[in-house]
Amino acid sequence: MKVTVRPFLFIRDALGDQREIEVKLNSSATISDLLTTLRREYGLPDEIPIGRGVFELFHGNEVRNMVILKDGRNIRFLEGMETKLEDGAEIALFPPVVGG
Amino acid sequence: MLTENELKRYERQIRIFGADGQERLKNAKVFVAGAGGLGSAISIYLAAAGIGGIRIVDHEKIELSNLNRQILYCDEDVGREKAASAEEKLKKINPDVSLEAISETIEENNVLELVGDFDLIVDAMDNFHTRYLLNRTAIVKNIPFFYGAINGLYGQATTIIPGKTACLRCIFPEPPLSMTFPVVGATCGVIGCIQVTEIVKYIVKMGSSLENRLLLWDGLNAKIDEIEIERNPSCEDCGWK
């Protein structure tokens, strides 16, 4: 199956400034499998340098500062990293922004 | 009724909203949570637009390092309470507006009273703990909540209508890790102005809003994007609504 990944802000920059990435996965793939593929094959890094600081996306296999939506829903409300993907699913990845 | 002076003062925007729209702005009461970078831009434009009632809450004092972005304040204000200084400046910007600045920390035990009977809440906070409180308060009081946040050259905003749109908790179920954030002052201006535009449109009932859409501003690359978001039926904050 194919899913569409839409990265935003500096996560997009880290993935080569692509608005959408079509990722082929096996039919039983989960969000966890997708992230593994993005890290191994598409260069999604563990950390992104921002100015003079660093923004951590992963600590080991734990997602740190990245919101993951599947078809508009936060995966925390689905089955987290074990959320199953379907053909045509849209996955948005973006960093939370906190300051004011 | 608008006075002669008001008709003149708001002439350029009455061309867009009509006198009827301007009266709606005059009768509106907006609660501004925070008088920092976002709060400065937001409150200045709300006052200039003729929002009739503005209550702004912030417990901090002005520091020199605030001045690159908190455009309500100037050098001589360093050390003063933000609330008192904000009230003074905003009254000068528009003396017709009823302005109340309160030097308090927004907390669980005072948030309902602080928001009182105001028509809507605009988020100008710098932490998710208080944002969640405001989100829940907006849902309980059934009033809109205008979210905005910034980091460096990046920003986000959305408009939350209880019972209709995804709430803040639907998008961010858990608070992001807290970190000291760098800020370019103009980013506060971009996001604060988007929030005020949303508020004005909501009050005068014009256009379409950022309901169920999260706007993302990438100032580094000068790009704007949006993400469609959905309500979570089992959301602990808005699921019952």
Side-chain angles (χ1 to χ4, degrees):
Chain A
M1 70 171 164
K2 275 185 195 168
V3 300
T4 302
V5 175
R6 297 184 68 206
F8 294 92
L9 303 183
F10 41 83
I11 297 176
R12 176 190 293 175
D13 296 338
L15 284 167
D17 197 22
Q18 299 180 77
R19 294 181 78 85
E20 290 188 355
I21 303 170
E22 279 209 337
V23 179
K24 279 188 191 169
L25 296 164
N26 71 48
S27 57
S28 60
T30 62
I31 289 286
S32 176
D33 299 323
L34 172 65
L35 292 179
T36 301
T37 303
L38 288 172
R39 293 170 82 183
R40 281 194 191 147
E41 297 176 28
Y42 292 82
L44 183 64
D46 289 354
E47 295 178 343
I48 300 175
I50 306 287
R52 294 184 178 186
V54 165
F55 197 89
E56 191 182 32
L57 295 183
F58 297 97
H59 190 80
N61 277 332
E62 189 189 333
V63 174
R64 273 297 167 93
N65 288 301
M66 184 164 58
V67 180
I68 305 172
L69 306 183
K70 180 195 163 205
D71 296 324
R73 289 258 183 93
N74 194 301
I75 60 157
R76 301 259 179 206
F77 289 120
L78 302 171
E79 287 165 77
M81 298 295 279
E82 298 313 309
T83 301
K84 289 196 170 60
L85 298 170
E86 305 86 35
D87 191 45
E90 276 202 10
I91 311 300
L93 306 176
F94 61 97
V97 172
V98 179
Chain B
M1 277 289 281
L2 297 171
T3 64
E4 276 301 309
N5 189 56
E6 287 168 334
L7 287 167
K8 210 174 274 178
R9 183 179 194 109
Y10 305 117
E11 194 265 339
R12 292 295 180 98
Q13 63 192 51
I14 286 173
R15 293 185 198 190
I16 304 170
F17 316 134
D20 177 51
Q22 190 62 48
E23 274 202 57
R24 286 179 189 273
L25 295 176
K26 184 179 179 177
N27 293 329
K29 293 162 75 174
V30 175
F31 182 86
V32 184
L38 283 175
S40 288
I42 289 166
S43 57
I44 287 170
Y45 276 104
L46 288 175
I51 298 293
I54 298 172
R55 178 177 290 168
I56 183 162
V57 179
D58 198 306
H59 72 282
E60 289 185 344
K61 289 189 171 164
I62 300 155
E63 296 175 19
L64 187 60
S65 63
N66 298 154
L67 300 184
N68 78 319
R69 62 197 184 281
Q70 302 188 13
I71 56 174
L72 268 173
Y73 318 116
C74 37
D75 242 60
E76 65 197 34
D77 295 320
V78 171
R80 294 182 67 197
E81 285 191 337
K82 287 184 183 177
S85 182
E87 186 168 322
E88 192 181 288
K89 305 288 169 33
L90 293 167
K91 279 181 173 165
K92 280 186 186 165
I93 288 170
N94 193 343
D96 293 340
V97 166
S98 164
L99 238 154
E100 190 185 0
I102 301 172
S103 187
E104 269 194 52
T105 306
I106 300 170
E107 291 173 315
E108 186 98 46
N109 61 7
N110 66 6
V111 65
L112 285 170
E113 198 183 330
L114 284 171
V115 174
D117 63 348
F118 274 56
D119 301 320
L120 57 92
I121 300 172
V122 55
D123 167 24
M125 297 310 303
D126 61 1
N127 68 85
F128 263 71
H129 171 74
T130 317
R131 282 194 174 101
Y132 286 145
L133 276 181
L134 296 166
N135 181 58
R136 279 201 298 273
T137 302
I139 293 163
V140 167
K141 289 184 177 272
N142 204 26
I143 57 175
F145 178 46
F146 297 82
Y147 159 73
I150 50 100
N151 186 338
L153 286 152
Y154 304 100
Q156 299 174 351
T158 192
T159 293
I160 295 161
I161 310 289
K164 187 176 175 193
T165 70
C167 78
L168 194 69
R169 184 80 73 169
C170 294
I171 310 169
F172 304 103
E174 291 165 351
L177 291 180
S178 110
M179 56 190 94
T180 306
F181 55 92
V183 196
V184 173
T187 308
C188 301
V190 172
I191 298 300
C193 287
I194 287 169
Q195 290 173 280
V196 173
T197 307
E198 287 290 290
I199 291 167
V200 168
K201 287 186 307 178
Y202 175 82
I203 294 169
V204 303
K205 301 181 191 293
M206 277 186 83
S208 56
S209 77
L210 283 172
E211 292 174 21
N212 285 325
R213 293 186 291 147
L214 180 68
L215 180 143
L216 297 110
W217 163 244
D218 174 355
L220 188 66
N221 298 301
K223 287 178 183 169
I224 293 181
D225 275 300
E226 64 174 64
I227 302 175
E228 284 190 25
I229 43 180
E230 281 191 15
R231 284 189 78 184
N232 166 35
S234 59
C235 173
E236 62 187 273
D237 281 3
C238 76
W240 59 274
K241 194 83 181 169

